[in-house]
Amino acid sequence: MNVPGVRYDETFDCWVVTDPELVRRALRDPALSAQTLEAATVAFLPPEVRAECAPLLDALRRWFVTLDGEPHRERRQAVAHLFATRRIRELDDVLTGIADAAVGRCAAAGGGDVVPAIADVVAARGIAALLDLDGVAHERLNDWARAVSAFLATSYRADRARAAQAALDEMAASVLDVPGAMPTVAPGDPAERLATASMLLFGGMETTSGLVGFALWYLVSNGLSDRVAADPSGAEADAVVERALELFAPVGHVARLALRPVPLGDAEIPAGALVMVALHGEDVLAAPGMPTRCPAHGPARRDHLAFGGGPHFCIGAPLARAIATSTVTAFARALPDVAVQELRWRDNPTFRGPATLVLR
Ligand code: HEM
């Protein structure tokens, strides 16, 4: 499809950036603010729902992914040690154990729907291990994250705002008193702790589950299990995960708000405009939908935009990669001969991935 690098969309009154070079520039431009919550989410909610869901909106306003400049930098810095390379490497054995257990249960059942049986489990358990939330059942972590991502993808829906508020209330009751979990800029402030907890749980779970689902589909469809299983270096599993990220960015786009006129490509984006920045190389508002046939295996590129770019580059990328690689490896070893029996995509155009993937 030949799509323009940057265009204005009259129907949605927003700008769409598709060209990867312009996307990289847009994500680094301080004139394109990440503070889009009011324009992209709150503005669409009826006033009575805004009042009812005030604690949810307060938490979202504190998420550092929606902040700019020093407030963003300070809050990101406060949790950066959780994601340090050494810490993720130390988690390797734990992540391998989580993946082996989930895949082992699925293998014992002769395969099945790997989204609830494997992808959701490894994403939730991997993030729980990082955040010291091992005591919380993975189904609850998945439900909370799903409720928040459904709301963010369709923020005009009052029912989804209420469901996200209920998820946040449950999360507050379950995680705020866990000792050691969730460092923030203000450790004594429950509102800051809840904001950080909800952002990390939400930011990591649907996305990592989506990546694992994509990667397993790609592995099985391309018959790559034998070579992944036979490679003790892990390079083949890395290549599958990287290719999945390149082909199917689990986050389809991110939003920005122009603080002043921004020249981008042939266009000048006016001050106050909402900008949809595509991470999958397709027009965000005219996307052709998810593929029915899996693309053929090919060399993996690492210069994709699946984790964004600039100051908001995904802080969880090393963890997501480690979870996905350990799961692909475990799956290739335990279930080398399965085929795809059913595939259904999520109906969420922003947080993408399989809703059902039956492998037997
Ligand atoms: C395949 C899995 C993942 C994908 C595709 C993904 C994607 C992204 C993207 C595109 C951004 C940039 C947002 C923006 O520019 O507005 C981002 C930021 C972020 N991600 Fe991820 N993510 C993944 C996994 C994770 C995990 C596992 C965690 C944590 C447990 C996480 C936590 C975050 C946080 C906190 C930010 C905000 C960073 C900042 O604003 O400085 N992500 N992610």
Side-chain angles (χ1 to χ4, degrees):
M1 187 172 46
N2 184 16
V3 289
V6 50
R7 73 173 181 93
Y8 173 66
D9 189 279
E10 271 182 30
T11 314
F12 291 94
D13 183 24
C14 69
W15 289 74
V16 180
V17 186
T18 311
D19 176 80
E21 265 326 297
L22 297 181
V23 166
R24 280 190 183 86
R25 271 172 47 196
L27 293 175
R28 282 196 307 264
D29 191 334
L32 289 172
S33 166
Q35 285 187 257
T36 58
L37 198 69
E38 305 302 321
T41 303
V42 180
F44 295 98
L45 278 178
E48 69 279 10
V49 183
R50 274 183 228 173
E52 218 178 299
C53 299
L56 170 71
L57 300 178
D58 175 64
L60 298 181
R61 285 187 187 104
R62 292 167 189 264
W63 282 14
F64 62 73
V65 69
T66 68
L67 298 176
D68 297 329
E70 193 50 26
H72 163 258
R73 202 198 59 77
E74 217 188 349
R75 283 168 175 76
R76 181 171 169 125
Q77 196 56 38
V79 300
H81 64 281
L82 286 179
F83 299 93
T85 313
R86 189 175 50 83
R87 177 121 202 278
I88 302 298
R89 226 180 276 131
E90 281 166 8
L91 276 181
D92 248 4
D93 288 347
V94 175
L95 299 180
T96 302
I98 291 169
D100 285 345
V103 170
R105 279 191 298 273
C106 188
D113 184 353
V114 299
V115 174
I118 298 179
D120 284 354
V121 180
V122 295
R125 291 264 64 93
I127 294 165
L130 182 90
L131 299 177
D132 284 329
L133 290 176
D134 297 307
V136 185
H138 77 84
E139 291 88 348
R140 296 184 75 198
L141 297 171
N142 290 131
D143 286 350
W144 296 338
R146 207 146 279 159
V148 176
S149 76
F151 165 59
L152 288 177
T154 47
S155 43
Y156 52 89
R157 286 193 39 183
D159 58 334
R160 292 198 168 169
R162 292 189 180 107
Q165 178 64 67
L168 192 82
D169 292 343
E170 256 201 54
M171 197 186 297
S174 311
V175 308
L176 281 187
D177 54 356
V178 177
M182 260 69 69
T184 70
V185 279
D189 179 347
E192 277 295 332
R193 293 190 73 212
L194 182 59
T196 312
S198 55
M199 181 187 55
L200 293 177
L201 288 173
F202 156 76
M205 232 154 355
E206 283 287 86
T207 49
T208 306
S209 170
L211 170 60
V212 171
F214 281 132
L216 293 179
W217 184 49
Y218 183 84
L219 174 85
V220 170
S221 303
N222 283 294
L224 300 171
S225 289
D226 286 346
R227 59 200 271 189
V228 167
D231 170 24
S233 77
E236 294 284 350
D238 282 350
V240 167
V241 170
E242 231 37 54
R243 182 96 164 121
L245 284 163
E246 173 200 340
L247 292 169
F248 321 105
V251 178
H253 72 273
V254 296
R256 295 292 188 264
L257 191 67
L259 299 177
R260 45 183 181 271
V262 177
L264 200 62
D266 296 337
E268 177 157 297
I269 298 176
L274 193 60
V275 185
M276 301 297 172
V277 183
L279 302 180
H280 48 32
E282 289 160 20
D283 193 315
V284 173
L285 301 175
M290 302 306 292
T292 48
R293 286 173 65 91
C294 189
H297 188 42
R301 301 177 57 148
R302 288 184 77 93
D303 62 348
H304 54 72
L305 289 157
F307 291 116
H312 290 280
F313 182 83
C314 178
I315 200 168
L319 177 67
R321 285 187 165 113
I323 292 173
T325 307
S326 57
T327 308
V328 163
T329 306
F331 194 91
R333 288 179 185 154
L335 283 152
D337 297 321
V338 292
V340 179
Q341 286 203 339
E342 187 190 343
L343 170 63
R344 204 167 45 78
W345 297 111
R346 290 181 195 156
D347 61 5
N348 190 325
T350 311
F351 303 105
R352 310 175 334 144
T356 303
L357 175 61
V358 180
L359 303 176
R360 269 190 230 284

